[in-house]
Amino acid sequence: MMRIEAVGESGCMLYLGDQIDPQTSARVCRAGELIRWQLGDAIIDMVPSYASIFMSVDLTRGGVGVFCQRLEAALQDLDRVAAAPRAAGALVRIGVCYAPEVAPDMEEVMHLTGLTRDEIVELHCRERYRVYAIGFSPGFCFMGNTDARLRVPRKATPRTRVPAGSVALAERQTAVYPGESPGGWQLIGRTAVDMLALCQRDEGALQVGSQLCFEPLSLADFLAAGGQV
Amino acid sequence: MVFEVIRPGFLALLQDYGRYGMQHLGMATGGPLDEHAFVWANRLLGNHYNSATLEITLGQVRLRALQGTRIAITGADLGACINDQPIVPWCSYRVEAGDSLSFAGARTGVRAYLAVSGGFEAPLRYGSCATVVREGCGGLHGDGQRLQAGDRLGMRLKNAGQGALQQVPPRFVPDYGAPLCLRLLPGYQYDQFDAEQLERLFGSDYRVSPDSDRMGYRLAGPAIQSGLDGIISEGIAFGAVQIPGDGQPIVLLRDRQTIGGYPKVGCVAALDAAQLAQRAPGALVRFRRGDLREVETQRQAFNRFFGIGG
């Protein structure tokens, strides 16, 4: 599936599927690379997500209708080209402290899933996650899919203040809150890693399509790494 | 330094044209809510279109000039005075060291733009000084804070007092008190709304809700239903019209989230969204179907005139 549409007078949406799955996400990444390569100079902002890419178009280079035509031509061979090798292909490891001091919703998640704390940590750290989208707040990566046994709903009443570095679950997704913000996900741990900085590295930056995993960290190691309780 | 903030008022934010090329990191663009008034303020002084100005919402602001310079004021009429003598917006003026510049309160419109010769000085964060309070980014100190009493604003040109005073030709000065008709360009999930819902959207009066802010303008009126619970989260354009579960449209503006999962019926023409940002709660708003070609042509002419993007 591929659909190209103008949004507003200076935007363009590219739809590449209607599912949240690794295949669709891989297509989004592949299309993103082709677009950057062939049309990068005509784009002001590009927002890839689960199954689509939004582009904000530089109108000094022609109207949005012309851009949509160029985009269609650029993506003609999308499903025939192999993904370019990319520096971001490396697995990013994030150390997480799951101690009670920094896991305010662990009890609730244990109750909701029927799992012990150790089982939750083990399941959360066993999976390799794919970054499906970045948004909500700067550096907030929506990652999936979590093990089906870790599926939990969002909190009925969102917190007004989620501490920076909080590691969270919601449905089949997991994420790290990069800065303090409101939020409704279930908090099961905390990291000292600066996620927004990871997204901005010159080489191997965390981006849509990146692979990521979590590693358990003791409270002492978390504090030594600069973590805050 | 050119101004000291005596009273910061309700909300005064440094804004340049916005932070671009960072939305893939989840960063809002920020920038002026009323782009039309913003670019005119800079143009009156011969500034580059991207120069930093002060966006003053609803007034209650008092500044003291620390040196002589030219200023321009556009946008809302917030009862501006130099040394307590009323001045009208959409003009440039001279201020001298020791002068006071005040904005009492809104008469027409919501946001005024104050520009100085060469633009205000502010540190760049990701290439821009646009203030996004929610993200703690931009502004005078780079940390996203609104202006505070005691802040001192610098200007980029050290000696820019010369030059003729200018006035925006009256035909380019909008009437913020007039009922507003927003041109909606169909897009996103438009096709998922049935004819009856669209008829209601285009045929009804909406009023600006008090919950409106720099993220989005909430409108209150007949509810629109898409039949969709939600969608797979996707990038949100400036001016996108989101229809949440309660059916009340939200026009998303400069500080909007970069992605979201509510259905959207399309996008309001960007220059119409700028006019919306000057409407106070209770103001009357309607939608009509916009023509992409017409809106695009108007936008390109606007960009050329103000040198935007060039």
mmCIF file with all atom_site columns, all heavy atoms in Angstrom, chain A residues 9 15 18 45-46 49-50 59 63-64 138-139 200, chain B residues 21-25 126 232-234 270 296 299-300:
data_model
loop_
_atom_site.group_PDB
_atom_site.id
_atom_site.type_symbol
_atom_site.label_atom_id
_atom_site.label_alt_id
_atom_site.label_comp_id
_atom_site.label_asym_id
_atom_site.label_entity_id
_atom_site.label_seq_id
_atom_site.pdbx_PDB_ins_code
_atom_site.Cartn_x
_atom_site.Cartn_y
_atom_site.Cartn_z
_atom_site.occupancy
_atom_site.B_iso_or_equiv
_atom_site.pdbx_formal_charge
_atom_site.auth_seq_id
_atom_site.auth_comp_id
_atom_site.auth_asym_id
_atom_site.auth_atom_id
_atom_site.pdbx_PDB_model_num
ATOM 1   N N   . GLU A 1 9   ? -1.364 23.563 2.688  1.00 0.00 ? 9   GLU A N   1
ATOM 2   C CA  . GLU A 1 9   ? -0.754 24.053 1.453  1.00 0.00 ? 9   GLU A CA  1
ATOM 3   C C   . GLU A 1 9   ? 0.740  23.812 1.406  1.00 0.00 ? 9   GLU A C   1
ATOM 4   O O   . GLU A 1 9   ? 1.379  24.108 0.415  1.00 0.00 ? 9   GLU A O   1
ATOM 5   C CB  . GLU A 1 9   ? -1.064 25.538 1.254  1.00 0.00 ? 9   GLU A CB  1
ATOM 6   C CG  . GLU A 1 9   ? -0.297 26.482 2.171  1.00 0.00 ? 9   GLU A CG  1
ATOM 7   C CD  . GLU A 1 9   ? -1.017 26.735 3.484  1.00 0.00 ? 9   GLU A CD  1
ATOM 8   O OE1 . GLU A 1 9   ? -1.850 25.893 3.886  1.00 0.00 ? 9   GLU A OE1 1
ATOM 9   O OE2 . GLU A 1 9   ? -0.728 27.762 4.112  1.00 0.00 ? 9   GLU A OE2 1
ATOM 10  N N   . TYR A 1 15  ? 1.423  7.534  3.190  1.00 0.00 ? 15  TYR A N   1
ATOM 11  C CA  . TYR A 1 15  ? 0.949  6.389  3.960  1.00 0.00 ? 15  TYR A CA  1
ATOM 12  C C   . TYR A 1 15  ? 1.508  5.114  3.353  1.00 0.00 ? 15  TYR A C   1
ATOM 13  O O   . TYR A 1 15  ? 1.433  4.899  2.149  1.00 0.00 ? 15  TYR A O   1
ATOM 14  C CB  . TYR A 1 15  ? -0.583 6.329  3.949  1.00 0.00 ? 15  TYR A CB  1
ATOM 15  C CG  . TYR A 1 15  ? -1.226 7.434  4.758  1.00 0.00 ? 15  TYR A CG  1
ATOM 16  C CD1 . TYR A 1 15  ? -1.752 8.558  4.130  1.00 0.00 ? 15  TYR A CD1 1
ATOM 17  C CD2 . TYR A 1 15  ? -1.315 7.343  6.138  1.00 0.00 ? 15  TYR A CD2 1
ATOM 18  C CE1 . TYR A 1 15  ? -2.349 9.574  4.866  1.00 0.00 ? 15  TYR A CE1 1
ATOM 19  C CE2 . TYR A 1 15  ? -1.906 8.361  6.885  1.00 0.00 ? 15  TYR A CE2 1
ATOM 20  C CZ  . TYR A 1 15  ? -2.434 9.466  6.246  1.00 0.00 ? 15  TYR A CZ  1
ATOM 21  O OH  . TYR A 1 15  ? -3.018 10.473 6.968  1.00 0.00 ? 15  TYR A OH  1
ATOM 22  N N   . ASP A 1 18  ? -1.339 0.119  7.128  1.00 0.00 ? 18  ASP A N   1
ATOM 23  C CA  . ASP A 1 18  ? -2.346 0.427  8.141  1.00 0.00 ? 18  ASP A CA  1
ATOM 24  C C   . ASP A 1 18  ? -2.216 -0.505 9.339  1.00 0.00 ? 18  ASP A C   1
ATOM 25  O O   . ASP A 1 18  ? -3.179 -0.787 10.030 1.00 0.00 ? 18  ASP A O   1
ATOM 26  C CB  . ASP A 1 18  ? -3.759 0.382  7.542  1.00 0.00 ? 18  ASP A CB  1
ATOM 27  C CG  . ASP A 1 18  ? -3.986 -0.862 6.719  1.00 0.00 ? 18  ASP A CG  1
ATOM 28  O OD1 . ASP A 1 18  ? -3.193 -1.819 6.859  1.00 0.00 ? 18  ASP A OD1 1
ATOM 29  O OD2 . ASP A 1 18  ? -4.956 -0.882 5.939  1.00 0.00 ? 18  ASP A OD2 1
ATOM 30  N N   . ASP A 1 45  ? 10.882 19.713 7.196  1.00 0.00 ? 45  ASP A N   1
ATOM 31  C CA  . ASP A 1 45  ? 10.765 18.791 8.324  1.00 0.00 ? 45  ASP A CA  1
ATOM 32  C C   . ASP A 1 45  ? 10.188 17.475 7.822  1.00 0.00 ? 45  ASP A C   1
ATOM 33  O O   . ASP A 1 45  ? 9.363  17.464 6.904  1.00 0.00 ? 45  ASP A O   1
ATOM 34  C CB  . ASP A 1 45  ? 9.829  19.358 9.401  1.00 0.00 ? 45  ASP A CB  1
ATOM 35  C CG  . ASP A 1 45  ? 10.598 19.974 10.567 1.00 0.00 ? 45  ASP A CG  1
ATOM 36  O OD1 . ASP A 1 45  ? 11.397 19.250 11.173 1.00 0.00 ? 45  ASP A OD1 1
ATOM 37  O OD2 . ASP A 1 45  ? 10.390 21.171 10.838 1.00 0.00 ? 45  ASP A OD2 1
ATOM 38  N N   . MET A 1 46  ? 10.621 16.396 8.450  1.00 0.00 ? 46  MET A N   1
ATOM 39  C CA  . MET A 1 46  ? 10.132 15.079 8.050  1.00 0.00 ? 46  MET A CA  1
ATOM 40  C C   . MET A 1 46  ? 9.839  14.303 9.330  1.00 0.00 ? 46  MET A C   1
ATOM 41  O O   . MET A 1 46  ? 10.713 14.177 10.182 1.00 0.00 ? 46  MET A O   1
ATOM 42  C CB  . MET A 1 46  ? 11.234 14.407 7.246  1.00 0.00 ? 46  MET A CB  1
ATOM 43  C CG  . MET A 1 46  ? 10.860 13.118 6.643  1.00 0.00 ? 46  MET A CG  1
ATOM 44  S SD  . MET A 1 46  ? 11.972 12.810 5.237  1.00 0.00 ? 46  MET A SD  1
ATOM 45  C CE  . MET A 1 46  ? 12.440 11.186 5.631  1.00 0.00 ? 46  MET A CE  1
ATOM 46  N N   . SER A 1 49  ? 6.571  7.959  11.238 1.00 0.00 ? 49  SER A N   1
ATOM 47  C CA  . SER A 1 49  ? 5.844  7.362  12.353 1.00 0.00 ? 49  SER A CA  1
ATOM 48  C C   . SER A 1 49  ? 5.643  5.876  12.064 1.00 0.00 ? 49  SER A C   1
ATOM 49  O O   . SER A 1 49  ? 6.376  5.304  11.256 1.00 0.00 ? 49  SER A O   1
ATOM 50  C CB  . SER A 1 49  ? 4.531  8.107  12.561 1.00 0.00 ? 49  SER A CB  1
ATOM 51  O OG  . SER A 1 49  ? 3.896  7.658  13.732 1.00 0.00 ? 49  SER A OG  1
ATOM 52  N N   . TYR A 1 50  ? 4.664  5.245  12.702 1.00 0.00 ? 50  TYR A N   1
ATOM 53  C CA  . TYR A 1 50  ? 4.464  3.803  12.579 1.00 0.00 ? 50  TYR A CA  1
ATOM 54  C C   . TYR A 1 50  ? 4.273  3.335  11.132 1.00 0.00 ? 50  TYR A C   1
ATOM 55  O O   . TYR A 1 50  ? 4.860  2.359  10.710 1.00 0.00 ? 50  TYR A O   1
ATOM 56  C CB  . TYR A 1 50  ? 3.227  3.374  13.368 1.00 0.00 ? 50  TYR A CB  1
ATOM 57  C CG  . TYR A 1 50  ? 3.332  3.590  14.844 1.00 0.00 ? 50  TYR A CG  1
ATOM 58  C CD1 . TYR A 1 50  ? 2.933  4.790  15.419 1.00 0.00 ? 50  TYR A CD1 1
ATOM 59  C CD2 . TYR A 1 50  ? 3.825  2.599  15.670 1.00 0.00 ? 50  TYR A CD2 1
ATOM 60  C CE1 . TYR A 1 50  ? 3.025  4.993  16.778 1.00 0.00 ? 50  TYR A CE1 1
ATOM 61  C CE2 . TYR A 1 50  ? 3.915  2.793  17.037 1.00 0.00 ? 50  TYR A CE2 1
ATOM 62  C CZ  . TYR A 1 50  ? 3.513  3.989  17.587 1.00 0.00 ? 50  TYR A CZ  1
ATOM 63  O OH  . TYR A 1 50  ? 3.608  4.177  18.931 1.00 0.00 ? 50  TYR A OH  1
ATOM 64  N N   . LEU A 1 59  ? 8.309  25.616 0.036  1.00 0.00 ? 59  LEU A N   1
ATOM 65  C CA  . LEU A 1 59  ? 7.520  26.106 -1.094 1.00 0.00 ? 59  LEU A CA  1
ATOM 66  C C   . LEU A 1 59  ? 8.319  26.961 -2.069 1.00 0.00 ? 59  LEU A C   1
ATOM 67  O O   . LEU A 1 59  ? 7.834  27.280 -3.150 1.00 0.00 ? 59  LEU A O   1
ATOM 68  C CB  . LEU A 1 59  ? 6.309  26.892 -0.590 1.00 0.00 ? 59  LEU A CB  1
ATOM 69  C CG  . LEU A 1 59  ? 5.234  26.065 0.112  1.00 0.00 ? 59  LEU A CG  1
ATOM 70  C CD1 . LEU A 1 59  ? 4.069  26.954 0.512  1.00 0.00 ? 59  LEU A CD1 1
ATOM 71  C CD2 . LEU A 1 59  ? 4.735  24.937 -0.769 1.00 0.00 ? 59  LEU A CD2 1
ATOM 72  N N   . GLY A 1 63  ? 5.249  24.119 -5.720 1.00 0.00 ? 63  GLY A N   1
ATOM 73  C CA  . GLY A 1 63  ? 4.085  23.852 -4.886 1.00 0.00 ? 63  GLY A CA  1
ATOM 74  C C   . GLY A 1 63  ? 4.058  22.424 -4.378 1.00 0.00 ? 63  GLY A C   1
ATOM 75  O O   . GLY A 1 63  ? 4.867  21.577 -4.766 1.00 0.00 ? 63  GLY A O   1
ATOM 76  N N   . VAL A 1 64  ? 3.070  22.176 -3.531 1.00 0.00 ? 64  VAL A N   1
ATOM 77  C CA  . VAL A 1 64  ? 2.986  20.881 -2.880 1.00 0.00 ? 64  VAL A CA  1
ATOM 78  C C   . VAL A 1 64  ? 2.525  19.805 -3.877 1.00 0.00 ? 64  VAL A C   1
ATOM 79  O O   . VAL A 1 64  ? 2.906  18.640 -3.766 1.00 0.00 ? 64  VAL A O   1
ATOM 80  C CB  . VAL A 1 64  ? 2.085  20.984 -1.620 1.00 0.00 ? 64  VAL A CB  1
ATOM 81  C CG1 . VAL A 1 64  ? 0.624  20.969 -1.965 1.00 0.00 ? 64  VAL A CG1 1
ATOM 82  C CG2 . VAL A 1 64  ? 2.428  19.919 -0.616 1.00 0.00 ? 64  VAL A CG2 1
ATOM 83  N N   . PRO A 1 138 ? 10.152 15.804 23.163 1.00 0.00 ? 138 PRO A N   1
ATOM 84  C CA  . PRO A 1 138 ? 11.438 15.615 22.485 1.00 0.00 ? 138 PRO A CA  1
ATOM 85  C C   . PRO A 1 138 ? 12.190 14.380 22.980 1.00 0.00 ? 138 PRO A C   1
ATOM 86  O O   . PRO A 1 138 ? 12.428 14.233 24.177 1.00 0.00 ? 138 PRO A O   1
ATOM 87  C CB  . PRO A 1 138 ? 12.200 16.901 22.835 1.00 0.00 ? 138 PRO A CB  1
ATOM 88  C CG  . PRO A 1 138 ? 11.131 17.913 23.047 1.00 0.00 ? 138 PRO A CG  1
ATOM 89  C CD  . PRO A 1 138 ? 10.010 17.158 23.699 1.00 0.00 ? 138 PRO A CD  1
ATOM 90  N N   . GLY A 1 139 ? 12.513 13.474 22.046 1.00 0.00 ? 139 GLY A N   1
ATOM 91  C CA  . GLY A 1 139 ? 13.281 12.286 22.372 1.00 0.00 ? 139 GLY A CA  1
ATOM 92  C C   . GLY A 1 139 ? 12.458 11.125 22.914 1.00 0.00 ? 139 GLY A C   1
ATOM 93  O O   . GLY A 1 139 ? 13.013 10.106 23.311 1.00 0.00 ? 139 GLY A O   1
ATOM 94  N N   . GLN A 1 200 ? 20.304 12.547 18.937 1.00 0.00 ? 200 GLN A N   1
ATOM 95  C CA  . GLN A 1 200 ? 20.973 13.624 18.208 1.00 0.00 ? 200 GLN A CA  1
ATOM 96  C C   . GLN A 1 200 ? 22.413 13.320 17.859 1.00 0.00 ? 200 GLN A C   1
ATOM 97  O O   . GLN A 1 200 ? 23.117 14.180 17.354 1.00 0.00 ? 200 GLN A O   1
ATOM 98  C CB  . GLN A 1 200 ? 20.956 14.889 19.065 1.00 0.00 ? 200 GLN A CB  1
ATOM 99  C CG  . GLN A 1 200 ? 19.580 15.450 19.237 1.00 0.00 ? 200 GLN A CG  1
ATOM 100 C CD  . GLN A 1 200 ? 19.640 16.629 20.168 1.00 0.00 ? 200 GLN A CD  1
ATOM 101 O OE1 . GLN A 1 200 ? 19.545 16.502 21.370 1.00 0.00 ? 200 GLN A OE1 1
ATOM 102 N NE2 . GLN A 1 200 ? 19.849 17.781 19.606 1.00 0.00 ? 200 GLN A NE2 1
ATOM 103 N N   . GLY B 2 21  ? 13.364 21.586 11.175 1.00 0.00 ? 21  GLY B N   1
ATOM 104 C CA  . GLY B 2 21  ? 14.296 20.477 10.982 1.00 0.00 ? 21  GLY B CA  1
ATOM 105 C C   . GLY B 2 21  ? 14.489 19.635 12.232 1.00 0.00 ? 21  GLY B C   1
ATOM 106 O O   . GLY B 2 21  ? 15.408 18.821 12.296 1.00 0.00 ? 21  GLY B O   1
ATOM 107 N N   . MET B 2 22  ? 13.652 19.816 13.245 1.00 0.00 ? 22  MET B N   1
ATOM 108 C CA  . MET B 2 22  ? 13.810 19.091 14.511 1.00 0.00 ? 22  MET B CA  1
ATOM 109 C C   . MET B 2 22  ? 12.557 18.298 14.892 1.00 0.00 ? 22  MET B C   1
ATOM 110 O O   . MET B 2 22  ? 12.523 17.694 15.962 1.00 0.00 ? 22  MET B O   1
ATOM 111 C CB  . MET B 2 22  ? 14.112 20.081 15.646 1.00 0.00 ? 22  MET B CB  1
ATOM 112 C CG  . MET B 2 22  ? 15.444 20.762 15.524 1.00 0.00 ? 22  MET B CG  1
ATOM 113 S SD  . MET B 2 22  ? 16.776 19.567 15.742 1.00 0.00 ? 22  MET B SD  1
ATOM 114 C CE  . MET B 2 22  ? 18.068 20.334 14.771 1.00 0.00 ? 22  MET B CE  1
ATOM 115 N N   . GLN B 2 23  ? 11.553 18.304 14.028 1.00 0.00 ? 23  GLN B N   1
ATOM 116 C CA  . GLN B 2 23  ? 10.302 17.634 14.407 1.00 0.00 ? 23  GLN B CA  1
ATOM 117 C C   . GLN B 2 23  ? 10.459 16.119 14.473 1.00 0.00 ? 23  GLN B C   1
ATOM 118 O O   . GLN B 2 23  ? 9.710  15.452 15.180 1.00 0.00 ? 23  GLN B O   1
ATOM 119 C CB  . GLN B 2 23  ? 9.183  18.000 13.432 1.00 0.00 ? 23  GLN B CB  1
ATOM 120 C CG  . GLN B 2 23  ? 8.690  19.420 13.643 1.00 0.00 ? 23  GLN B CG  1
ATOM 121 C CD  . GLN B 2 23  ? 7.420  19.691 12.856 1.00 0.00 ? 23  GLN B CD  1
ATOM 122 O OE1 . GLN B 2 23  ? 6.383  19.108 13.108 1.00 0.00 ? 23  GLN B OE1 1
ATOM 123 N NE2 . GLN B 2 23  ? 7.518  20.568 11.877 1.00 0.00 ? 23  GLN B NE2 1
ATOM 124 N N   . HIS B 2 24  ? 11.447 15.577 13.762 1.00 0.00 ? 24  HIS B N   1
ATOM 125 C CA  . HIS B 2 24  ? 11.643 14.121 13.829 1.00 0.00 ? 24  HIS B CA  1
ATOM 126 C C   . HIS B 2 24  ? 12.143 13.702 15.210 1.00 0.00 ? 24  HIS B C   1
ATOM 127 O O   . HIS B 2 24  ? 12.086 12.531 15.562 1.00 0.00 ? 24  HIS B O   1
ATOM 128 C CB  . HIS B 2 24  ? 12.623 13.659 12.747 1.00 0.00 ? 24  HIS B CB  1
ATOM 129 C CG  . HIS B 2 24  ? 13.997 14.236 12.912 1.00 0.00 ? 24  HIS B CG  1
ATOM 130 N ND1 . HIS B 2 24  ? 14.273 15.567 12.648 1.00 0.00 ? 24  HIS B ND1 1
ATOM 131 C CD2 . HIS B 2 24  ? 15.145 13.690 13.327 1.00 0.00 ? 24  HIS B CD2 1
ATOM 132 C CE1 . HIS B 2 24  ? 15.553 15.788 12.903 1.00 0.00 ? 24  HIS B CE1 1
ATOM 133 N NE2 . HIS B 2 24  ? 16.106 14.675 13.310 1.00 0.00 ? 24  HIS B NE2 1
ATOM 134 N N   . LEU B 2 25  ? 12.630 14.665 16.017 1.00 0.00 ? 25  LEU B N   1
ATOM 135 C CA  . LEU B 2 25  ? 13.034 14.367 17.400 1.00 0.00 ? 25  LEU B CA  1
ATOM 136 C C   . LEU B 2 25  ? 11.887 14.597 18.373 1.00 0.00 ? 25  LEU B C   1
ATOM 137 O O   . LEU B 2 25  ? 12.055 14.459 19.580 1.00 0.00 ? 25  LEU B O   1
ATOM 138 C CB  . LEU B 2 25  ? 14.212 15.256 17.812 1.00 0.00 ? 25  LEU B CB  1
ATOM 139 C CG  . LEU B 2 25  ? 15.491 15.132 16.995 1.00 0.00 ? 25  LEU B CG  1
ATOM 140 C CD1 . LEU B 2 25  ? 16.527 16.131 17.468 1.00 0.00 ? 25  LEU B CD1 1
ATOM 141 C CD2 . LEU B 2 25  ? 16.037 13.719 17.089 1.00 0.00 ? 25  LEU B CD2 1
ATOM 142 N N   . TYR B 2 126 ? 18.968 24.570 19.062 1.00 0.00 ? 126 TYR B N   1
ATOM 143 C CA  . TYR B 2 126 ? 18.633 23.848 17.836 1.00 0.00 ? 126 TYR B CA  1
ATOM 144 C C   . TYR B 2 126 ? 18.309 24.829 16.706 1.00 0.00 ? 126 TYR B C   1
ATOM 145 O O   . TYR B 2 126 ? 17.322 24.696 15.991 1.00 0.00 ? 126 TYR B O   1
ATOM 146 C CB  . TYR B 2 126 ? 17.480 22.867 18.058 1.00 0.00 ? 126 TYR B CB  1
ATOM 147 C CG  . TYR B 2 126 ? 17.697 21.958 19.243 1.00 0.00 ? 126 TYR B CG  1
ATOM 148 C CD1 . TYR B 2 126 ? 17.056 22.201 20.442 1.00 0.00 ? 126 TYR B CD1 1
ATOM 149 C CD2 . TYR B 2 126 ? 18.592 20.896 19.161 1.00 0.00 ? 126 TYR B CD2 1
ATOM 150 C CE1 . TYR B 2 126 ? 17.290 21.384 21.546 1.00 0.00 ? 126 TYR B CE1 1
ATOM 151 C CE2 . TYR B 2 126 ? 18.825 20.090 20.260 1.00 0.00 ? 126 TYR B CE2 1
ATOM 152 C CZ  . TYR B 2 126 ? 18.169 20.330 21.444 1.00 0.00 ? 126 TYR B CZ  1
ATOM 153 O OH  . TYR B 2 126 ? 18.398 19.533 22.531 1.00 0.00 ? 126 TYR B OH  1
ATOM 154 N N   . ILE B 2 232 ? -3.645 5.190  13.763 1.00 0.00 ? 232 ILE B N   1
ATOM 155 C CA  . ILE B 2 232 ? -2.231 4.964  14.063 1.00 0.00 ? 232 ILE B CA  1
ATOM 156 C C   . ILE B 2 232 ? -1.563 6.333  14.099 1.00 0.00 ? 232 ILE B C   1
ATOM 157 O O   . ILE B 2 232 ? -1.720 7.119  13.161 1.00 0.00 ? 232 ILE B O   1
ATOM 158 C CB  . ILE B 2 232 ? -1.583 4.059  12.990 1.00 0.00 ? 232 ILE B CB  1
ATOM 159 C CG1 . ILE B 2 232 ? -2.262 2.693  12.970 1.00 0.00 ? 232 ILE B CG1 1
ATOM 160 C CG2 . ILE B 2 232 ? -0.085 3.918  13.258 1.00 0.00 ? 232 ILE B CG2 1
ATOM 161 C CD1 . ILE B 2 232 ? -1.750 1.762  11.885 1.00 0.00 ? 232 ILE B CD1 1
ATOM 162 N N   . SER B 2 233 ? -0.861 6.623  15.191 1.00 0.00 ? 233 SER B N   1
ATOM 163 C CA  . SER B 2 233 ? -0.282 7.962  15.361 1.00 0.00 ? 233 SER B CA  1
ATOM 164 C C   . SER B 2 233 ? 0.535  8.370  14.142 1.00 0.00 ? 233 SER B C   1
ATOM 165 O O   . SER B 2 233 ? 1.301  7.569  13.601 1.00 0.00 ? 233 SER B O   1
ATOM 166 C CB  . SER B 2 233 ? 0.617  7.988  16.593 1.00 0.00 ? 233 SER B CB  1
ATOM 167 O OG  . SER B 2 233 ? -0.178 8.112  17.746 1.00 0.00 ? 233 SER B OG  1
ATOM 168 N N   . GLU B 2 234 ? 0.364  9.641  13.743 1.00 0.00 ? 234 GLU B N   1
ATOM 169 C CA  . GLU B 2 234 ? 1.020  10.138 12.537 1.00 0.00 ? 234 GLU B CA  1
ATOM 170 C C   . GLU B 2 234 ? 1.375  11.600 12.719 1.00 0.00 ? 234 GLU B C   1
ATOM 171 O O   . GLU B 2 234 ? 0.862  12.271 13.626 1.00 0.00 ? 234 GLU B O   1
ATOM 172 C CB  . GLU B 2 234 ? 0.083  9.963  11.327 1.00 0.00 ? 234 GLU B CB  1
ATOM 173 C CG  . GLU B 2 234 ? -1.211 10.754 11.470 1.00 0.00 ? 234 GLU B CG  1
ATOM 174 C CD  . GLU B 2 234 ? -2.215 10.478 10.359 1.00 0.00 ? 234 GLU B CD  1
ATOM 175 O OE1 . GLU B 2 234 ? -2.114 9.447  9.681  1.00 0.00 ? 234 GLU B OE1 1
ATOM 176 O OE2 . GLU B 2 234 ? -3.113 11.322 10.180 1.00 0.00 ? 234 GLU B OE2 1
ATOM 177 N N   . ALA B 2 270 ? -2.696 28.018 6.487  1.00 0.00 ? 270 ALA B N   1
ATOM 178 C CA  . ALA B 2 270 ? -1.834 28.517 7.566  1.00 0.00 ? 270 ALA B CA  1
ATOM 179 C C   . ALA B 2 270 ? -2.115 29.982 7.886  1.00 0.00 ? 270 ALA B C   1
ATOM 180 O O   . ALA B 2 270 ? -2.121 30.382 9.052  1.00 0.00 ? 270 ALA B O   1
ATOM 181 C CB  . ALA B 2 270 ? -0.369 28.320 7.184  1.00 0.00 ? 270 ALA B CB  1
ATOM 182 N N   . GLU B 2 296 ? -2.400 27.854 -1.968 1.00 0.00 ? 296 GLU B N   1
ATOM 183 C CA  . GLU B 2 296 ? -0.980 27.679 -2.271 1.00 0.00 ? 296 GLU B CA  1
ATOM 184 C C   . GLU B 2 296 ? -0.421 28.923 -2.982 1.00 0.00 ? 296 GLU B C   1
ATOM 185 O O   . GLU B 2 296 ? 0.662  29.407 -2.644 1.00 0.00 ? 296 GLU B O   1
ATOM 186 C CB  . GLU B 2 296 ? -0.832 26.448 -3.168 1.00 0.00 ? 296 GLU B CB  1
ATOM 187 C CG  . GLU B 2 296 ? 0.566  26.014 -3.457 1.00 0.00 ? 296 GLU B CG  1
ATOM 188 C CD  . GLU B 2 296 ? 0.566  24.771 -4.352 1.00 0.00 ? 296 GLU B CD  1
ATOM 189 O OE1 . GLU B 2 296 ? 0.256  24.876 -5.555 1.00 0.00 ? 296 GLU B OE1 1
ATOM 190 O OE2 . GLU B 2 296 ? 0.846  23.688 -3.836 1.00 0.00 ? 296 GLU B OE2 1
ATOM 191 N N   . ARG B 2 299 ? -0.113 31.721 -0.542 1.00 0.00 ? 299 ARG B N   1
ATOM 192 C CA  . ARG B 2 299 ? 1.008  31.465 0.365  1.00 0.00 ? 299 ARG B CA  1
ATOM 193 C C   . ARG B 2 299 ? 2.345  31.779 -0.320 1.00 0.00 ? 299 ARG B C   1
ATOM 194 O O   . ARG B 2 299 ? 3.238  32.373 0.274  1.00 0.00 ? 299 ARG B O   1
ATOM 195 C CB  . ARG B 2 299 ? 0.973  29.987 0.771  1.00 0.00 ? 299 ARG B CB  1
ATOM 196 C CG  . ARG B 2 299 ? 2.125  29.564 1.649  1.00 0.00 ? 299 ARG B CG  1
ATOM 197 C CD  . ARG B 2 299 ? 1.866  29.992 3.060  1.00 0.00 ? 299 ARG B CD  1
ATOM 198 N NE  . ARG B 2 299 ? 3.069  30.390 3.730  1.00 0.00 ? 299 ARG B NE  1
ATOM 199 C CZ  . ARG B 2 299 ? 3.127  30.711 5.022  1.00 0.00 ? 299 ARG B CZ  1
ATOM 200 N NH1 . ARG B 2 299 ? 2.054  30.709 5.763  1.00 0.00 ? 299 ARG B NH1 1
ATOM 201 N NH2 . ARG B 2 299 ? 4.232  31.071 5.561  1.00 0.00 ? 299 ARG B NH2 1
ATOM 202 N N   . GLN B 2 300 ? 2.479  31.370 -1.557 1.00 0.00 ? 300 GLN B N   1
ATOM 203 C CA  . GLN B 2 300 ? 3.745  31.606 -2.260 1.00 0.00 ? 300 GLN B CA  1
ATOM 204 C C   . GLN B 2 300 ? 3.976  33.107 -2.460 1.00 0.00 ? 300 GLN B C   1
ATOM 205 O O   . GLN B 2 300 ? 5.104  33.584 -2.321 1.00 0.00 ? 300 GLN B O   1
ATOM 206 C CB  . GLN B 2 300 ? 3.777  30.844 -3.588 1.00 0.00 ? 300 GLN B CB  1
ATOM 207 C CG  . GLN B 2 300 ? 4.048  29.358 -3.356 1.00 0.00 ? 300 GLN B CG  1
ATOM 208 C CD  . GLN B 2 300 ? 3.947  28.521 -4.605 1.00 0.00 ? 300 GLN B CD  1
ATOM 209 O OE1 . GLN B 2 300 ? 3.067  28.739 -5.428 1.00 0.00 ? 300 GLN B OE1 1
ATOM 210 N NE2 . GLN B 2 300 ? 4.824  27.541 -4.751 1.00 0.00 ? 300 GLN B NE2 1
#
